[in-house]
């Protein structure tokens, strides 16, 4: 039965031709949800002496149309029937503006239209009362969605909801929330919400287990968005290694999360010294509540035996239940995947919240106001580059209103505190050792770690590698496009911090006296192999004699040989509807394909930046135009670093690498290849470079401390060129599975 708008019926998706009285009868029985005597129904629909005979005639007509919902000669009539109102109220609310039109489409007009002039006065009164009740429920839901959109600074979406309410004669509350302020940036995770709601559907048959990985400050919001507009209730607590405390917190939050009429009688369970008895009591209350539950344990770093037993018990409960374990997205969180695999089996799902993308931050900034002068992408790229895509960091940068073009390595206090809180599970000696290693502005090996940590080095390194804080890293890294496959070397002995934000937070925990002493040590240790870094440490440690010695040991720079002009400006390429996919390399390059654009971002240390190469195989012969833009480049690195950093390099086959930067670079050799300067690149705008090839592989490369580079497309030039573009490559990618993200390195 279709009750929203003009009343009608369908069967198997096909409309049924029903007389008005038949539609009124079926609507009444559908909404009443209980049996009624034939005489009562006849009196409602026909205010005449022969009403009962008219009812029998109407039922006969229904049977003649192939509809026989009522047994013959049965005095009481009842009907159980799905309605469009049920589906609309049961369905999830829209998460973003593009889903809003489909969500509003069933609301075609006032409910129960067409029944106003049918039947007796009593039936018409019933229609008015029922319509009022239906409209109250619709109004409540429209008001909730409108307030959410307007609270996020999306007045246009809120206006669509208000316009729909006006067409139905409904009145939504006036806006009580101001537009989202710059320090209240909100971000959307529609793919992850859809993935979780898919888990909800499975949980209706049996409890499910989810491993959720994402930055702190976003995971709770994601779960709240997932249950919004659904029958599910979310119970979220921070994980505790003390089982009794965890179960007591779960019990208290469960009682508060349930509506008053569903709360179990009595006080919260717990308070005994028997954790198993408390768990059984808690499970009984969850079952008695009679509502689907999402139970989330946040910041889980390990799965002790008692937690594994608790999860097994919860996954056997006879109720709709989703248990979520959340953790930070470090490479070392794979041990959680391995630990949970035997517990959940096919009921274990993996949902990853990627770091913020440039496009995602652009959408959040657009809700602040219009993008004057097209500066939105440049600002978003700088925010994502500086923050490593951490939402908490982006919000702090926007609140501060500082100069994003400055390469400031200082962390906002709340970001530093949160980064250190994520390391609370590490033993104290391991954190202290990592704080000493964090003074290094370059990758290091175990020999260097031994010089700084002594006998404690093996234990500190093993703990850091197990947790994913340190990862193997080489001087060069390579990815193959479009699949973003990484070429790793199992013999690599170098190590690097997986996150520059984490390294900076750890470095600040060391007392000033120890930092000063370490700089003196590092200045001497690095003098033979890294004189540029030795000069940096000697200057900061106020060692003028050692600084002079390091300056004298700097290699002679290559002779200047400036050739070429400036890259020509180009229009912005059109994005393509391809899913986002990306990897984080051990040296901190974040490479992503998003909407057909290739993005390379890095927040690096002050040491010599590693070379990143991106290989595009089988480019046809001819001249090709590469459209790109550069929004962040350069660093506060010490002088004398060789080979010189560059923002973009192009190499055809085994020929020389042509490099581009915002300022001229000297020609030089590095890594067995010649490097020739090509042109000066402008900042914060799209530009175009021409590449001529005889056919074969084309290599893009980056060697920079801080960088935000976007490649838009690679298209043929000239009449005789191949008619097809080789870029964007996103069309070659398979759709990303929200439950099982690819893990070539660290996915995002």
């Amino acid at each position: 039965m279709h009750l929203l708008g003009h009343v009608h019926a369908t069967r198997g998706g096909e409309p049924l031709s029903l007389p008005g009285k038949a539609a009124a009868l079926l609507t009444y029985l559908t909404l009443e949800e209980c049996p009624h005597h034939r005489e009562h129904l006849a009196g409602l629909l026909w205010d005449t002496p022969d009403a009962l005979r008219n009812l029998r005639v109407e039922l006969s007509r229904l049977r003649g149309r192939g509809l026989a919902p009522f047994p013959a000669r049965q005095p009481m009539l009842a009907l159980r029937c799905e309605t469009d109102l049920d589906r609309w109220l049961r369905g999830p609310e829209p998460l973003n503006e593009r889903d809003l039109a489909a969500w509003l489409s069933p609301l075609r007009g006032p409910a129960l239209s067409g029944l106003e002039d049918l039947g007796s006065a009593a039936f018409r009164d019933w229609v008015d009362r029922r319509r009022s009740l239906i409209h109250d429920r619709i109004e409540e839901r429209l008001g909730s969605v409108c307030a959410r959109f307007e609270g996020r600074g999306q007045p246009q979406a809120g206006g669509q909801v208000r316009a729909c309410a006006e067409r139905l004669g409904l009145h939504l509350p006036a806006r009580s929330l101001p537009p989202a302020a710059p320090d209240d940036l909100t971000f959307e995770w529609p793919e992850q919400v859809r993935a979780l709601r898919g888990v909800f559907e499975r949980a209706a048959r049996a409890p499910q287990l989810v491993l959720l990985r994402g930055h702190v400050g976003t995971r709770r919001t994601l779960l709240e968005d997932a249950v919004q507009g659904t029958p599910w209730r979310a119970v979220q607590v921070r994980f505790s290694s003390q089982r009794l405390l965890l179960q007591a917190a779960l019990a208290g939050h469960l009682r508060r999360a349930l509506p008053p009429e569903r709360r179990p009688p009595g006080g919260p369970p717990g308070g005994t010294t028997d954790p198993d008895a408390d768990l059984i009591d808690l499970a009984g209350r969850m079952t008695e509540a009679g509502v689907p539950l999402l139970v989330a344990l946040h910041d889980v770093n390990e799965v002790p035996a008692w937690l594994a037993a608790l999860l097994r018990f919860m996954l056997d409960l006879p109720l709709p239940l989703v248990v979520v374990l959340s953790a930070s997205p470090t490479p070392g969180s794979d041990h959680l995947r391995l630990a949970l695999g035997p517990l959940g089996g096919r009921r274990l799902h993996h949902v990853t919240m990627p770091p913020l993308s440039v496009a995602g931050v652009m959408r959040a900034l657009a809700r602040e106001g219009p993008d004057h002068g097209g500066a939105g992408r440049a600002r978003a790229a700088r925010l994502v580059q500086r923050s490593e895509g951490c939402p908490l960091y982006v919000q702090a940068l926007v609140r501060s209103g500082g100069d994003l073009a400055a390469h400031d390595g200082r962390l906002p206090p709340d970001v530093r505190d949160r980064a250190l809180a994520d390391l609370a599970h590490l033993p104290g000696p391991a954190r202290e050792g990592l704080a000493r290693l964090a003074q290094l502005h370059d990758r290091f090996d175990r020999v260097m770690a031994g010089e700084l940590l002594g006998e404690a080095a093996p234990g500190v390194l093993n703990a850091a590698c197990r947790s994913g804080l340190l990862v193997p890293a080489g001087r060069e890294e390579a990815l193959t496009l479009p699949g973003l496959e990484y070429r790793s070397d199992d013999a690599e002995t170098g190590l690097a911090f997986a996150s520059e934000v984490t390294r900076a937070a750890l470095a600040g925990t060391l007392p000033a006296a120890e930092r000063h002493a370490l700089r003196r040590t590092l200045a001497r240790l690095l003098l033979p192999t890294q004189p540029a870094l030795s000069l940096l440490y000697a200057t900061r440690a106020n060692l003028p004699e050692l600084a002079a010695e390091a300056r004298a040991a700097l290699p002679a720079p290559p002779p200047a040989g400036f050739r070429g002009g400036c890259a020509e400006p180009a229009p912005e390429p059109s994005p393509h509807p391809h899913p986002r996919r990306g990897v984080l390399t051990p040296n901190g390059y974040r490479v992503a394909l998003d909407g057909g654009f290739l993005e390379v971002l890095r927040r690096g240390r002050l040491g010599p930046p590693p070379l990143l190469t991106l290989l595009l195989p089988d480019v046809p012969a001819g001249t090709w135009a590469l459209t790109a833009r550069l929004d962040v480049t350069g660093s506060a690195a010490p002088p004398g670093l060789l080979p010189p950093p560059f923002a973009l390099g192009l190499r055809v086959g085994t020929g020389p690498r042509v490099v581009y930067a915002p300022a001229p670079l000297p020609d030089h050799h590095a890594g067995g290849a010649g490097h020739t300067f090509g042109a000066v690149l402008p900042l914060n705008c799209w530009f175009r470079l021409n590449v001529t090839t005889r056919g074969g592989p084309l290599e893009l490369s980056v060697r920079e401390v801080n960088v935000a580079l976007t490649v838009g497309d690679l298209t043929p030039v000239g009449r005789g060129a191949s008619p097809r573009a080789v870029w964007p490559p996103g069309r070659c990618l398979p759709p990303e599975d929200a439950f099982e993200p690819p893990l070539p390195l660290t996915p995002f």
Side-chain angles (χ1 to χ4, degrees):
M1 293 300 300
H2 296 260
L3 311 178
L4 300 175
H6 195 279
V7 171
H8 64 285
T10 57
R11 181 170 57 185
E14 296 296 326
L16 298 173
S17 176
L18 293 179
K21 294 286 189 179
L25 172 65
L26 297 179
T27 299
Y28 183 83
L29 291 173
T30 296
L31 289 176
E32 285 291 294
E33 297 182 340
C34 62
H36 284 280
H37 200 280
R38 289 173 180 249
E39 291 182 355
H40 168 74
L41 297 171
L44 275 177
L45 296 176
W46 289 274
D47 195 7
T48 60
D50 57 350
L52 196 56
R53 184 179 66 84
N54 290 337
L55 176 61
R56 287 196 296 270
V57 170
E58 204 64 42
L59 294 177
S60 177
R61 289 176 179 173
L62 282 176
R63 287 192 294 272
R65 287 179 166 84
L67 289 175
F70 312 113
R73 298 185 180 87
Q74 181 169 309
M76 305 289 286
L77 302 185
L79 180 64
R80 295 282 183 180
C81 184
E82 175 79 0
T83 72
D84 57 346
L85 173 64
D86 295 331
R87 288 197 300 269
W88 190 79
L89 292 173
R90 189 173 59 237
E93 294 179 355
L95 297 174
N96 46 57
E97 190 170 352
R98 64 176 176 268
D99 298 332
L100 188 56
W103 185 72
L104 294 174
S105 62
L107 306 178
R108 294 174 292 273
L112 306 183
S113 295
L115 303 184
E116 299 89 347
D117 300 325
L118 297 175
S120 65
F123 178 74
R124 292 193 293 272
D125 288 343
W126 177 87
V127 170
D128 290 340
R129 291 195 305 273
R130 276 292 181 176
R131 179 183 292 128
S132 178
L133 291 173
I134 293 172
H135 281 185
D136 286 346
R137 299 183 71 182
I138 294 175
E139 187 177 74
E140 180 182 5
R141 204 154 196 232
L142 291 177
S144 170
V145 172
C146 183
R148 180 153 50 85
F149 277 119
E150 290 179 344
R152 289 180 174 180
Q154 297 175 273
Q156 184 174 357
Q160 293 184 50
V161 180
R162 291 184 180 276
C164 177
E166 290 177 5
R167 290 194 299 270
L168 300 177
L170 308 179
H171 302 282
L172 302 186
R175 281 184 57 179
S176 59
L177 293 175
D183 58 344
D184 294 325
L185 282 184
T186 57
F187 309 103
E188 298 176 345
W189 313 94
E191 291 81 7
Q192 285 70 27
V193 169
R194 281 193 288 270
L196 287 170
R197 288 183 173 171
V199 177
F200 292 170
E201 294 179 3
R202 303 185 189 189
R205 298 184 294 272
Q208 305 289 309
L209 181 63
V210 174
L211 174 57
L212 173 64
R213 290 181 289 191
H215 283 288
V216 67
T218 60
R219 302 189 296 259
R220 288 178 180 265
T221 303
L222 170 69
L223 297 178
E224 291 170 0
D225 288 344
V227 301
Q228 180 74 31
T230 74
W232 288 77
R233 295 280 175 162
V235 179
Q236 306 193 56
V237 300
R238 184 179 174 87
F239 177 72
S240 170
S241 59
Q242 302 296 318
R243 179 181 173 185
L244 285 172
L245 296 179
L246 176 65
Q247 292 180 183
L250 278 175
H253 282 271
L254 172 66
R255 185 171 183 82
R256 190 171 64 178
L258 294 175
E261 66 274 12
R262 295 296 184 96
R263 291 174 185 169
T272 73
T273 57
D274 186 351
D276 291 335
D278 285 349
L279 178 59
I280 293 172
D281 187 13
L282 175 63
R285 291 170 180 253
M286 292 167 60
T287 305
E288 292 170 7
V291 297
L293 288 174
L294 181 151
V295 177
L297 310 180
H298 290 292
D299 303 321
V300 178
N301 295 302
E302 58 182 355
V303 183
W306 67 264
L307 177 59
L310 184 148
L311 293 175
R312 288 193 186 94
F313 177 80
M314 297 181 78
L315 291 176
D316 284 335
L317 293 177
L319 75 158
L321 175 67
V322 173
V323 182
V324 178
L325 272 63
S326 82
S328 297
T330 60
S333 60
D334 277 352
H335 73 279
L336 292 176
R337 173 191 290 259
L338 297 175
L340 295 176
L343 298 176
R346 299 186 66 180
R347 290 191 284 168
L348 172 63
H349 311 279
H350 303 272
V351 179
T352 300
M353 301 178 68
L356 293 175
S357 66
V358 174
V361 174
M362 286 177 64
R363 287 191 293 269
L365 293 174
R367 293 193 285 270
E368 289 185 39
D371 175 16
H372 297 292
R377 178 173 285 276
R379 186 183 181 202
R382 291 171 183 171
L383 287 168
V384 175
Q385 179 272 332
R386 176 81 65 83
S387 67
E388 294 186 344
C390 172
L392 182 67
Y393 201 164
V394 170
Q395 291 167 338
L397 290 173
V398 173
R399 283 196 300 269
S400 70
D403 180 13
L404 293 174
H407 298 292
D408 188 353
R410 292 174 296 178
L411 300 179
D414 50 346
V415 175
R416 182 195 60 233
D417 294 345
R418 186 61 252 183
L420 294 176
D422 285 340
L423 307 178
H425 64 285
L426 290 175
R431 290 198 302 272
E432 294 173 8
L434 286 172
R436 295 176 66 84
L437 293 176
Q439 309 304 316
L440 284 161
H441 285 284
D442 193 13
R443 58 190 284 279
F444 56 90
D445 57 18
R446 292 180 179 269
V447 175
M448 175 63 73
E451 294 283 355
L452 299 183
L453 305 181
E455 296 180 354
V460 172
L461 295 182
N462 290 340
C465 290
R466 280 197 306 270
S467 64
L469 296 172
L470 294 178
V471 291
R475 286 291 182 198
E476 296 185 0
E477 297 176 322
L479 293 172
T480 301
L481 297 172
L484 296 180
E485 292 91 4
Y486 176 68
R487 305 173 185 174
S488 60
D489 183 0
D490 292 339
E492 179 57 56
T493 59
L495 294 171
F497 280 89
S499 166
E500 173 60 10
V501 172
T502 302
R503 187 205 66 81
L506 280 165
T509 63
L510 210 61
E514 286 192 51
R515 289 201 301 270
H516 186 72
L518 275 176
R519 288 170 186 153
R520 299 168 68 95
T521 300
L522 289 170
R524 294 188 176 91
L525 288 175
L526 294 173
L527 180 60
T529 57
Q530 292 283 347
L533 278 180
S534 174
L535 175 60
L536 171 69
Y537 290 119
T539 302
R540 292 186 174 183
N542 194 23
L543 300 173
E545 294 181 0
L546 191 57
E549 191 175 351
R551 193 174 292 107
L554 290 174
F562 173 63
R563 293 186 303 276
C566 297
E568 59 181 278
E572 180 175 359
S574 300
H576 294 258
H578 299 308
R580 178 175 174 82
R581 185 182 182 187
V583 296
L584 169 65
T585 74
N587 279 301
Y589 285 107
R590 283 167 285 147
V591 186
L593 294 167
D594 192 2
F597 291 172
L598 170 67
E599 297 174 357
V600 180
L601 300 101
R602 183 175 189 255
R603 173 189 170 126
R605 295 167 287 279
L606 300 182
L611 175 68
L612 172 70
T613 58
L614 308 164
L615 185 63
L616 265 174
D618 299 329
V619 176
T623 300
W624 296 81
L626 180 78
T627 304
R629 64 178 290 140
L630 187 63
D631 292 300
V632 176
T633 188
S635 66
L641 283 182
L642 289 178
F646 58 85
L648 173 62
L650 297 174
R651 187 182 187 191
V652 177
T654 58
R657 179 176 290 123
V658 183
V659 297
Y660 303 85
L665 296 176
D667 294 348
H668 59 280
H669 276 77
H675 290 61
T676 304
F677 183 72
V680 172
L681 299 181
L683 285 174
N684 307 326
C685 65
W686 292 95
F687 59 80
R688 183 168 58 195
L689 302 171
N690 287 339
V691 184
T692 302
T693 172
R694 297 179 180 177
L698 173 65
E699 179 188 280
L700 288 74
S701 55
V702 178
R703 188 200 301 273
E704 189 56 274
V705 174
N706 295 293
V707 68
L709 173 72
T710 305
V711 179
D713 57 34
L714 183 64
T715 54
V717 176
R719 294 182 179 178
S722 168
R724 68 179 182 89
V726 298
W727 193 272
R731 62 174 64 93
C732 305
L733 291 174
E736 183 177 359
D737 187 342
F739 291 98
E740 295 289 347
L743 289 170
L745 290 172
T746 300
F748 63 86

